[in-house]
Structure formats: C-alpha cells, structure tokens
Amino acid sequence: MNGRLKGKVAIVTGAGSGIGRASATRFAAEGARVICVDLKGQDETAGEIGEAALDVAADAGVEENVQGLVRGAVERFGKLDIFFANAGVSGGLASIFDQTPEDWQEILRVNLIGPFLAIKHAGPTMKENGGGSIICTASVAGIRAGAGGPAYSASKAGVINLVEVAATQLCGSNIRVNAICPGLIETGMTRSVYGWARSRSKEDQIGRLNPMKRGGVPDEIANAALFLASDESSYVNGHALVVDGGLSASHPFNRQEYGHTSV
C-alpha cells in the first residue's frame, strides 16, 4: 500500500459487511484512522483493522447519531477528513402498487436522509479543517429503471442529485461531495440473488446483462471509494461515479404488463 490516506481520519457507515467493510479496511491499509459504523456495531471490521479503527454502533439515518459520529471523530482524532455515507437498505423488489408509504419512508430515511445528514454535519467540521471528501453510495438503480425496487431506485436517484446540490452549496470550502453508483455487487443486500442462482447452479448467469458478463465484488467499489477519498480526485466534485461493468450503458430488463406486480 502507498499511504494514499496517510494522516487522514474517516467515518464509514454500513461498515459491518460488503462495500462498507471492504472500504473501511482499504482506507486503513492506506494510512487512515477509521471509525467503523454499523447499526449493531462492528467489532469484526474494527478488529480486522486493528488500532487504527474505532467501532461505533449508530443509525446513519438518525440526526443525533450522525452528529455524535462527527463529534466523536473530532474528540478522538482531532479532525474529520472523509465521510463515506454508505449505509443502506434495499426494501425488496415489490412494485409501486404493493408498497406502502411506511415502506418508502423507511427506505428514504436510511438511503437518502442518511447521506443528507452526513453532508449537513460533516461539512462544517471539514470546512474548519480546510476541506475534505464526502462520498455517498448511490446505485445504477438511481440512473435508469430496471435495476432495483421503486423506493430504492428513487432514493438512489435522490442521492445522485444530492451530491450535485451539496457540491454547489459547499462552493469555495475545498470539500468535495461525490457519489458511487455500484452495479450488481455480491454483498449482504444481494445475498438472496446470489443464493438463488447458486442453489440452481446458475451462478454463471449473474451479471450476464452487463458487458463484463459477471457481477462485481466489494473490493472493486472500495477501490473507487479510495480514489474519491484521496487527493488523487482533488478536481472531482459533484460527480456520480458509475462502477457497474457497463450495465448502465444500456440497462436491459424484462418489462411486465400492468397488473403483474410481482418482480
């Protein structure tokens, strides 16, 4: 490792598994001190990293929790350089006609309000320190239809617009706000998809709709997060970086007639 984040302090939400865990360990390997955040706490990720990590249990969609994360970073490490707002929920694949307002409220709370809170509270702290990088996990589902459930897709489209608005409103602060749009990645959120395929000996069909003809792995998203967290992306701002094997180049999907609400 080249120490690309040497001396920096990072918060990573959703660090318990998948993209969050891969990113937290990669940040630490590159020299960052990392606050690993998960709803139930994440001793395993922090333990894997060692002394450079701090394990915190928090809900990334609750304002008091996010305020506490930012305050804790400053109290423990003296500053905050990177906030990776990665925590999210899928909400399943039920159609618009089968979801309730309560379903939407919970998905938006975690997936969209969570990144908003990260920006709201990390921004002023980073400004006092001369700048920083805020990264939000969006999705290819936020770009075009066919890659996720309705509420999930809407929440991720909101994240893409949020980073554009935030980058503009943080003008002159030296704080960069960007999103990552993963395609199909093997994580806890997609466990059912991979499990179904493997149980039927159809694993080779995973990711067949993208030009790479495969699904992705968390480390491939962690690499993108590392780039956006590092000074190598110093002129990248208000951008949604797509990491999907080329899926969003066309987004093919199976259309259903109205009335067939199962996905």
Side-chain angles (χ1 to χ4, degrees):
M1 301 302 174
N2 299 317
R4 294 155 72 185
L5 301 182
K6 185 177 181 180
K8 295 187 182 294
V9 176
I11 293 173
V12 179
T13 65
S17 63
I19 293 169
R21 174 176 286 187
S23 298
T25 55
R26 189 66 196 276
F27 287 5
E30 292 288 348
R33 287 167 291 181
V34 185
I35 298 174
C36 302
V37 184
D38 202 75
L39 190 60
K40 297 179 180 179
Q42 199 38 239
D43 290 332
E44 290 185 14
T45 303
E48 181 180 338
I49 293 172
E51 294 182 358
L54 177 65
D55 168 49
V56 177
D59 187 329
V62 173
E63 184 162 26
E64 292 80 5
N65 285 195
V66 178
Q67 284 179 303
L69 292 173
V70 174
R71 182 172 59 250
V74 175
E75 290 175 353
R76 178 69 178 268
F77 299 115
K79 62 175 182 173
L80 176 63
D81 302 289
I82 302 156
F83 197 127
F84 186 13
N86 169 71
V89 294
S90 72
L93 294 174
S95 79
I96 289 174
F97 309 103
D98 294 326
Q99 288 184 318
T100 66
E102 291 75 21
D103 293 332
W104 277 67
Q105 287 167 357
E106 179 61 12
I107 293 166
L108 292 172
R109 183 186 72 81
V110 179
N111 293 359
L112 182 55
I113 292 177
F116 151 69
L117 293 173
I119 295 166
K120 176 182 177 181
H121 293 290
T125 297
M126 290 179 177
K127 185 176 181 180
E128 291 178 2
N129 192 48
S133 174
I134 301 172
I135 309 158
C136 304
T137 298
S139 170
V140 293
I143 300 173
R144 297 185 182 88
Y152 177 83
S153 300
S155 71
K156 297 304 185 177
V159 171
I160 293 170
N161 186 262
L162 173 66
V163 301
E164 295 173 342
V165 172
T168 302
Q169 294 199 347
L170 286 166
C171 175
S173 66
N174 196 35
I175 299 169
R176 297 176 292 105
V177 188
N178 295 290
I180 300 176
C181 298
L184 180 62
I185 309 297
E186 185 170 10
T187 66
M189 192 178 290
T190 60
R191 184 178 294 115
S192 61
V193 174
Y194 279 82
W196 181 91
R198 286 169 179 151
S199 69
R200 292 162 175 78
S201 299
K202 294 183 177 181
E203 189 173 357
D204 62 330
Q205 295 186 27
I206 293 174
R208 70 188 185 282
L209 297 180
N210 75 55
M212 298 295 291
K213 292 293 185 179
R214 66 173 178 84
V217 296
D219 283 343
E220 291 175 305
I221 308 303
N223 289 337
L226 173 62
F227 168 68
L228 292 176
S230 75
D231 294 337
E232 294 166 12
S233 60
S234 58
Y235 204 54
V236 181
N237 195 16
H239 178 66
L241 177 61
V242 179
V243 188
D244 69 349
L247 176 66
S248 58
S250 62
H251 254 327
F253 67 98
N254 295 322
R255 294 175 176 82
Q256 293 187 334
E257 294 181 3
Y258 175 75
H260 298 277
T261 56
S262 61
V263 176

